[in-house]
Structure formats: C-alpha cells, structure tokens
C-alpha cells in the first residue's frame, strides 16, 4: 500500500474527460480520456477512468492511495446511491470518500466559488446554475435532443439547417454552404453520413466554429450568433430570477466554455445581459470544472450548493466494547 495520500478530481464532459491526481507531497498529474457517454451507465465509466489512472501510475500497488474522489459529470442526476456505487467500484484502489455533482455545479464553483450569482457553461452542451441565499436553480442542460439552447451543438445544427435551406432554395444564400461542402461535396448524402456516425454530436458541434468565423461577413451566420446569445442570456436571467438574485443591481455572472471564447458570442451575450443589468459583474474566468470538483469535499455546512452534491464515505469504525 502506498503511504502517500492522493485525491482525484474528474471533469467528465461529453467532448472529453479530464482527471487531476493530487498527492500530499505536492505532485500533480493530469490525464485525458474520451468523453462521457450519456446513453450508458455513468458510474462504470467513471470507475474505468480511475482504473486507467491507476494503470498509468507505474510503481504503485493496487491501492492507488486515492482517499478522496470528486467529480463533476455531464448527465449526472443526483443520487447518493450513485456515489456509493462508485465508491464500491473503486474501493479496491483505496478510495474512501466520493463526492459527485452535475458539471453545472463544479463549473459554478470553479468560476465563482461558494457565493451567489449565476454561471453558464457553454461547450457542446450548455447548462446554467444560479445560486442565491439558500436557493439554487438549474436551467437547461437537458441534452442535445430536446434542449441545450445556444450550445455548440445548437449552433452547429443551426448552421447545417441553414445550409440545407440554402441548397433547397427555402432559405437565404449563406457562405456556410461553401464551408460545409468542403467536407461534404454531395450535400444530399450529408444526413446519411451524420446519422451513421457515433460521434455525430461532437461532429455537428464542431460546425459552431464556422458560424462564429463567418458571422462578421455572413448575415445568416450573424443571425445564428444573435439567436444563440439571446438563448444564453435568457437562461441566465431565468436562473437569477428563480433564486431571487435578479433584483440585485450588479449580479455576478460567469461565462465558461469554448463557445464563449468566441468574441462573436461573448460580445453579444454581454450586450444582452447589460440591457437588463447595466452594472452586472460579468466575468469570463479561466477556472474550470476540475477546480470546482476539488471544492466539493469542503463546502460549508450551510452552503446552498451542498444540496446538489451526492456523497459516500467510508463506514466509521465500530466503537470499542
């Protein structure tokens, strides 16, 4: 058994999974894996991540020395039973305490810490978490099939929709068509190829980059960016209203994720929010879900966020007779 206590934090998204192994001696090691599959059981996938980390740590025994495992997970529905299952699946690696939350929670904590405000995380999908004094609200994050308004997938799908409308003569001519035809010369078979591709969600989301790249010169791309930004701002406004923070003159709002790294989206998003709160404290922090996951074990007892965390700990030792 290793004598160095370790903690493992995981940020499990649809596009990719990142893990950070921290040792008490100050050593930090990062690991990257393929994205979480929301159509499969989540706990076995996370257990596989822990096992893969263990397998790459040469010189360690079966007990990896992980005492605390915390994770933010796309598609996670809070359940202490899930945390207990993951602890059971990884107990052979020395895991004692498990803390799990939806990735909206860890994104929030990574951006603003345990304080009131709202954070929207926009990547392939999108989710907003708003936190008030004693109240929390999640907005959207319901998946690409029925929601995720303003996300990378939403943008990419809107681009392909516009291209096919242009092709049919049902919509405006757009430079997005030329961009798409570089990959799909025959647009009539595009839908067949995408339907057959297991990676179609991330593949469609990738077209969001063409939308933002062309927004300055193409009216259709610009309109898609306008619509996406309006959806993102609506989610933030809704979240703040639900937790009683919309009456604050300068609410704290954080924006995370690859989509908001595009000026074409970020500028519109900030503009739409300032129409409601001119003095809003709008931040685009560099912190990420891994930073937030690391905070899960140390939330204050009166934290409103604590209600969103599933936990499983080692059974206490039996009292002496």
């Amino acid at each position: 058994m290793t004598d160095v206590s370790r903690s493992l934090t995981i940020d499990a998204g649809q596009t990719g999974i990142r893990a950070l192994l921290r040792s008490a001696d100050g050593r930090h090691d990062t690991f990257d894996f393929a994205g979480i599959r929301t159509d499969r059981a989540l706990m076995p996938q996370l257990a596989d991540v822990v096992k893969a980390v263990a397998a790459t740590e040469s010189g360690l025994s079966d007990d990896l020395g992980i005492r605390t495992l915390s994770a933010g997970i796309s598609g996670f529905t809070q359940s202490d039973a899930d945390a207990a299952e993951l602890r059971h699946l990884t107990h052979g690696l020395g895991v004692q305490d498990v803390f799990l939350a939806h990735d909206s929670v860890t994104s929030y904590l990574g951006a603003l810490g345990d304080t009131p405000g709202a954070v929207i995380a926009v990547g392939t999908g999108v989710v907003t978490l708003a936190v008030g004094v004693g109240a929390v609200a999640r907005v959207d994050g319901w998946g690409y099939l029925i929601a995720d308004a303003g996300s990378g997938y939403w943008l990419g799908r809107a681009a392909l929709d516009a291209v096919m409308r242009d092709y049919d003569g049902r919509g405006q001519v757009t430079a997005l068509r030329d961009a798409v035809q570089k990959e799909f010369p025959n647009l009539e078979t595009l839908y067949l190829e995408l339907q057959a591709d297991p990676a179609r969600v991330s593949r469609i989301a990738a077209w969001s980059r063409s939308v933002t790249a062309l927004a300055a010169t193409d009216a259709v791309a610009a309109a898609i960016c306008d619509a996406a930004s309006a959806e993102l701002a609506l989610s933030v406004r809704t979240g703040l209203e639900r937790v009683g923070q919309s009456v604050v003159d300068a609410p704290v709002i954080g924006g995370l994720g690859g989509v908001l790294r595009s000026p074409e989206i970020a500028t519109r998003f900030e503009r739409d929010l300032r129409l409601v709160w001119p003095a809003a404290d709008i931040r685009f922090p560099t912190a990420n879900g891994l930073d937030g996951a690391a905070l899960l074990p140390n939330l204050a007892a009166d934290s409103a966020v604590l209600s969103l965390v599933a936990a499983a700990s080692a059974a206490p030792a039996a009292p002496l007779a």
Side-chain angles (χ1 to χ4, degrees):
M1 178 180 294
T2 179
D3 59 358
V4 179
S5 178
R6 291 175 166 86
S7 65
L8 183 66
T9 53
I10 298 173
D11 182 23
Q14 297 175 57
T15 302
I17 299 172
R18 172 155 286 193
L20 176 62
L21 183 64
R22 293 181 173 91
S23 301
D25 59 6
R27 177 182 167 190
H28 288 189
D29 296 295
T30 58
F31 306 84
D32 292 289
F33 304 94
I36 205 81
R37 291 286 299 273
T38 56
D39 59 339
R40 297 179 182 175
L42 294 175
M43 296 308 106
Q45 293 182 72
L46 292 181
D48 287 343
V49 168
V50 180
K51 293 171 184 175
V53 170
T56 60
E57 288 290 290
S58 59
L60 293 178
S61 63
D62 290 341
D63 181 353
L64 182 57
I66 296 173
R67 300 299 176 249
T68 303
L69 171 60
S70 53
I73 313 159
S74 177
F76 178 66
T77 55
Q78 182 189 358
S79 169
D80 289 339
D82 286 335
E85 178 188 359
L86 183 56
R87 182 177 178 276
H88 172 74
L89 292 172
T90 58
H91 184 60
L93 297 172
V95 174
Q96 296 182 3
D97 301 315
V98 174
F99 300 87
L100 306 178
H102 190 271
D103 58 0
S104 63
V105 175
T106 50
S107 292
Y108 187 99
L109 292 171
L112 301 186
D114 197 6
T115 59
V119 170
I120 187 165
V122 197
T124 298
V126 60
V127 64
T128 298
L129 189 71
V131 176
V133 180
V136 293
R138 172 182 165 184
V139 179
D140 209 342
W142 309 124
Y144 73 95
L145 284 176
I146 59 175
D148 283 354
S151 68
Y153 178 87
W154 189 96
L155 283 158
R157 198 242 179 242
L160 296 178
D161 178 79
V163 167
M164 299 316 298
R165 288 176 179 274
D166 177 4
Y167 180 72
D168 286 341
R170 293 178 292 133
Q172 288 181 259
V173 173
T174 173
L176 289 166
R177 177 174 170 180
D178 291 336
V180 171
Q181 282 193 293
K182 290 179 181 178
E183 182 176 349
F184 301 99
N186 183 358
L187 290 177
E188 294 192 6
T189 62
L190 184 157
Y191 77 102
L192 294 172
E193 184 170 343
L194 289 176
Q195 286 175 1
D197 187 351
R200 57 187 172 273
V201 175
S202 58
R203 192 173 180 184
I204 290 173
W207 287 105
S208 64
R209 292 191 287 270
S210 293
V211 177
T212 56
L214 291 169
T217 57
D218 183 80
V220 172
I224 293 172
C225 288
D226 285 338
S229 301
E231 291 286 1
L232 300 178
L234 174 60
S235 290
V236 170
R237 293 201 311 270
T238 301
L240 289 172
E241 288 167 1
R242 287 175 56 187
V243 300
Q245 290 291 299
S246 62
V247 296
V248 176
D249 289 337
V252 181
I253 300 166
L256 300 173
V259 170
L260 283 174
R261 285 195 286 271
S262 164
E264 295 292 345
I265 301 296
T267 300
R268 288 169 165 83
F269 173 66
E270 183 167 355
R271 173 203 64 195
D272 291 347
L273 289 175
R274 294 204 184 280
L275 291 175
V276 183
W277 300 286
D281 182 358
I282 301 173
R283 309 174 186 177
F284 297 97
T286 57
N288 56 45
L290 279 176
D291 298 315
L295 297 178
L296 292 178
N298 302 308
L299 291 174
D302 60 352
S303 170
V305 177
L306 194 60
S307 64
L308 302 179
V309 180
S313 298
L320 295 176

